[in-house]
Amino acid sequence: MVLNPKSPIGRCSARLRRLLEIEEEMALQWRVKIIAPERNQHSSGRRWLLPASLGVPGPFSSRPVSADGKVSFHFSHETVTKGPGGVSILSSGSRRRYLAAGAAAEHEAYITRPEAVPTISAADFEEYAAGPCAVGGLDGRTAAIFSNISDDPEKRRDLWLKAHLHEREANPDRLVFKANFLKPSDWRRLASSEGLGAEVRDIAARMAEIPAGTSKVKGDAILEVDLVEGARVKKAAASIVGPWDRKRLPIRLSKGRGGRTQFRLTAEFPDGIDAAARVRITQAYCQYLAEFGVMYTAAIHAPDEHNDERNHHLHITYYDRPCSQLPDGRWDFEVREKVEGQHNRYRYPHRQPKISELARTDGAANYRDHRALVVTRMREHFADICNAELTKVGVQRQFDPGRYTQMGIEQEPTQPLGPRAAPLEAAGIATTVGMSNAEILWSFRLEQERKECEASRCERQNLRKKIASAAAPLEPSNEKSALLKFERELAEASKVLDDNEHEIAFFRTILEMAYARPEKVSDTCSRILATLDAGKGSARDRKDRALIEARLEEADGFFDQILAIQERSLGEINPIVDQVHTARKKIRALSTEVEPYLIADSSVAKKMIMQDQPISSAMDIGPKGEDQSRAKFDNLMDRILRELVVLPPTESQKHFTVRGISKDEYLMLSSSGFAPLAQARLKKIASIQHERVAQAIRLLEEHGHQTLADLAETESNARRALLHLKVYADHPLLKRSCASMQEPIVSESGAQDGPERGSEPIEAIPARSEKTDLIDLDSKLASEKEAANHARDLTIRDFVTFIRDNPGVIIEEHDGSLRLSRESAGDWKISADVFSEEPLVKEALADRARANLEIEQREAAAANDARCEQHDQRLRARIMKEIDCAGVRPVFWNGERWEVTTASADLAEIANSWQGHPDLQAAYKASDRIWAGRESLDQKKAMETVSSSFDLTAKGDGLKLLRDAKADDPGYSAALLKRHQENTGGRGKR
């Protein structure tokens, strides 16, 4: 799908892209490649002194969602080991970072610092969690810190310091030389290289002198070296002797490693849960770690003014050696005793062994693979705990611990920004990892838009093909005329979408990309300044206040530039968006109307054909754009929800069914145009009815019928329960529960609808009378309440109509459900909150969200076609340019087709396969005429030169040519041959 930069929408997109630091060519190919800004590092490291790059798209897009509605989450696991010389080595995957010896204790202090950890009042703590907490405050509040080491932070610090001190000492980093893995001649090349150090050259010289067949042990050599220097030596040696066999490395780098002193785990909490749930998740996960026997400290971190308000996360540090404190204050692993009779040997009588389950298996499996499996299981367990809390509060979007590929997501994974890059990105400073993530996120977003627009275009093409196939074999008739009319109208509407919808989708994504960084910077600065205005915040922020205010003004200025372009662009785009929206509605209507004609032996199709009526009568468009058949369908669904019972599928009946509807209503629900939508709606209604009946049964069992009837005078829940008990009397769940109820269900007439105490259970509740008004909440409800309910229903219907008829409304996602944005709600702001959970409103919101998504997808379709055409134009221009500049004949006609040769083999292949374009045909013919004239002229000149420059001698049938330097010229050779034939009367052989 090609974007057209010269179209109205293309010009608007170009204005936006000029603000961004992205490569234009890549953007027009639905990819994002960021032009890296010049680095301007500042010695003080204060981020507000570094220049902002507001034109660089920020990596702040939302996470992709899997097909089953789950999202990935941040869960990192790092290891701290004891390095050479007592330093700490922090390892995360393949990355290693050297830290100070006391890094484990300092990290404990960092994650438990008071300004980062929220507190819980002592009165509320029992409600929050059932387990103990590590740290209590003097003000009656408890910090959200959990530990099985000690309540005292000094004792916890002492454990980490002593653990590092008494863990196994690390061997130094070394280079290991294998003599048998390299030829003596290669060792001599290394020994004579000036790019290697003297010690390395000496070892290489010794390796070259070792005779072949020497044992490996005697042939090995070891050189203690710094890890960085060792990597440099290894790379330099490989560049001298060429690539090595990865399984037989002649120079191998061995990293010095000591005992493990600390594990660090960081995980994000899901959005949509409260502080109590976060505490329960932390305690449950700490209990999971305690079952291994580890010593741990866990701390919940709440977002501050520097973070997004959703940035609640968990830090856990743990030690994989169980330990306890002795009465004398020492840890059990500190105590050592001299082994009698052995020099410099000690034993540790109280030290407990490390937990083998976390590092090694009982078999011979690779310990690295086992360690990765342990971390994977830890991640899965954390997801299970979080998902259980999300289920409690009804949040549908849950955590998925799998990789993107396992989730069915095609996006390339991004890297965590980390504690260094994240604050810089929030201040508008582009980092390497941030730019890489932004390229991945926005390229994926554009590619998804392109694919969706392409899929939509293919659906329209397939529908047109179906209509054409159905009409082709028919004799002239009303049916064929109808199908041909459908095809023409569909072609007209499809042309509008093919030209515009992909460009609109592209424009909106570029607009989001432009807003991403300035919005982030503006939010960050505003939160920090609000915190400072409240008398809080860090001393560094107070010192940088003027810089923060200047950065906020800069971000708002960039924001205003984008807004000005957007406002200017909407004046050009909105008319096209209206056309696209109208075309979509037209296609939806045509699809519904033409469906019966495309189904063989359809009773509905036969009925419509036999009526011999104009097609327009089959779908009468109302004043608000809703067709009457859809309105009847919606009204029926509303009545089913209020009055009838939806039965779930069974072994004999594979679909949802409804009792009490008429034959015409059944035909409408089972028609091909409505059947898929009807089944989806009935499934939702069945779920709603099941919840209503279950709630009514719970209240009835809790209070009894008489008490429930008394409560109905004042409580709406009781009134609804009585209503649902009457309306859904035939519901299977209510029938099953009726047999085991101890409290009878008494109807208004006084008759018992359930068993008396001590009586035999009845099989089912008697069916209600057909004359019973199923919409009344209670027979005692006054008429004004009925009118109020009716007015409420009308308001909901009007609100639904507003959502469906206004493509400009914005649909937002909140806690896993869709909501109408208050900014675009107009006069319906209150209804947007009050009616958000109504089934009709939910369906309208879902339809509008899909419609808006379709608009964004199809707006980019025409742009892709324009981009392809532009690419083809460039190719044709290159082909014609090379033909014009060719030094030898580039075009030949072989009697059937043109044969083209160019300097570029790929371009020649394209030119030979691209024969039918008129521009190329004209270029080929012109080139052929030019070269034919040149060859004729060269031949004449050559013939004039032959008589004076060469002697031609014929012996028998042979030809001897005495040539000069021009004899290789084709025209010259042809002239020689022609002159020879003239001299010999045509007897000379060619």
Side-chain angles (χ1 to χ4, degrees), residues 315-329:
H315 287 281
I316 298 179
T317 60
Y318 67 92
Y319 184 37
D320 60 344
R321 184 190 299 280
C323 50
S324 59
Q325 208 163 22
L326 302 177
D328 61 359

Side-chain angles (χ1 to χ4, degrees), residues 56-71:
V56 175
F60 311 120
S61 180
S62 58
R63 285 196 178 102
V65 183
S66 67
D68 55 353
K70 293 186 177 182
V71 296

Side-chain angles (χ1 to χ4, degrees), residues 118-131:
T119 57
I120 309 167
S121 66
D124 294 338
F125 186 76
E126 290 301 326
E127 180 181 350
Y128 271 68

Side-chain angles (χ1 to χ4, degrees), residues 281-506:
I281 291 172
T282 303
Q283 287 198 309
Y285 201 74
C286 288
Q287 179 61 32
Y288 165 73
L289 293 177
E291 292 175 357
F292 286 102
V294 303
M295 311 303 294
Y296 67 83
T297 296
I300 298 174
H301 277 199
D304 58 13
E305 66 273 14
H306 298 275
N307 306 121
D308 187 282
E309 60 184 6
R310 299 168 296 179
N311 188 26
H312 295 272
H313 55 280
L314 172 65
H315 287 281
I316 298 179
T317 60
Y318 67 92
Y319 184 37
D320 60 344
R321 184 190 299 280
C323 50
S324 59
Q325 208 163 22
L326 302 177
D328 61 359
R330 291 184 297 173
W331 296 98
D332 54 5
F333 56 78
E334 292 185 78
V335 180
R336 70 175 186 174
E337 297 175 353
K338 185 76 171 60
V339 178
E340 296 182 2
Q342 296 189 26
H343 176 67
N344 204 25
R345 290 290 302 275
Y346 298 88
R347 64 185 181 90
Y348 295 83
H350 303 294
R351 185 172 67 182
Q352 304 176 57
K354 288 203 170 186
I355 303 169
S356 59
E357 294 91 335
L358 295 179
R360 296 182 182 274
T361 59
D362 295 334
N366 187 305
Y367 78 92
R368 290 188 177 89
D369 294 340
H370 176 71
R371 185 63 193 162
L373 180 61
V374 169
V375 176
T376 299
R377 290 172 178 169
M378 287 183 171
R379 179 184 175 92
E380 292 172 349
H381 189 73
F382 183 80
D384 292 340
I385 298 173
C386 293
N387 290 340
E389 291 292 338
L390 290 170
T391 302
K392 288 181 182 178
V393 296
V395 176
Q396 299 299 320
R397 183 159 295 175
Q398 298 192 332
F399 279 174
D400 191 321
R403 298 177 179 272
Y404 277 175
T405 53
Q406 297 170 332
M407 297 170 64
I409 297 174
E410 299 177 359
Q411 176 181 315
E412 179 185 349
T414 57
Q415 297 295 324
L417 290 178
R420 294 185 176 182
L424 292 175
E425 290 284 344
I429 301 157
T431 63
T432 301
V433 64
M435 289 187 291
S436 175
N437 288 348
E439 290 178 353
I440 293 172
L441 292 171
W442 293 112
S443 294
F444 177 74
R445 175 78 70 85
L446 286 173
E447 181 63 16
Q448 290 299 106
E449 298 285 2
R450 187 193 65 79
K451 288 182 178 179
E452 291 172 1
C453 291
E454 181 64 24
S456 178
R457 186 176 67 86
C458 291
E459 289 179 4
R460 295 192 296 271
Q461 289 180 345
N462 291 335
L463 180 58
R464 292 179 61 187
K465 290 179 181 178
K466 288 182 180 179
I467 297 174
S469 299
L474 297 179
E475 297 294 334
S477 62
N478 290 336
E479 182 181 2
K480 184 165 186 176
S481 300
L483 288 172
L484 293 177
K485 182 178 179 182
F486 282 138
E487 203 279 333
R488 288 195 302 270
E489 294 179 353
L490 183 61
E492 294 174 359
S494 297
K495 180 66 167 57
V496 175
L497 298 183
D498 293 344
D499 291 343
N500 298 299
E501 74 173 350
H502 66 297
E503 286 196 338
I504 295 176
F506 181 80

Side-chain angles (χ1 to χ4, degrees), residues 181-197:
F181 289 178
L182 208 61
K183 297 178 181 178
S185 59
D186 291 332
W187 284 119
R188 281 191 287 271
R189 289 172 60 189
L190 294 177
S192 61
S193 175
E194 296 296 333
L196 301 176

Side-chain angles (χ1 to χ4, degrees), residues 249-267:
L249 294 176
I251 301 178
R252 180 171 59 85
L253 182 60
S254 176
K255 301 174 183 178
R257 182 179 300 173
R260 297 183 301 273
T261 60
Q262 189 181 66
F263 293 95
R264 299 177 181 180
L265 188 153
T266 306

Side-chain angles (χ1 to χ4, degrees), residues 36-69:
E38 295 183 3
R39 297 189 177 276
N40 186 6
Q41 300 294 339
H42 196 275
S43 58
S44 68
R46 293 164 62 185
R47 56 175 175 166
W48 303 111
L49 288 173
L50 300 175
S53 302
L54 299 176
V56 175
F60 311 120
S61 180
S62 58
R63 285 196 178 102
V65 183
S66 67
D68 55 353

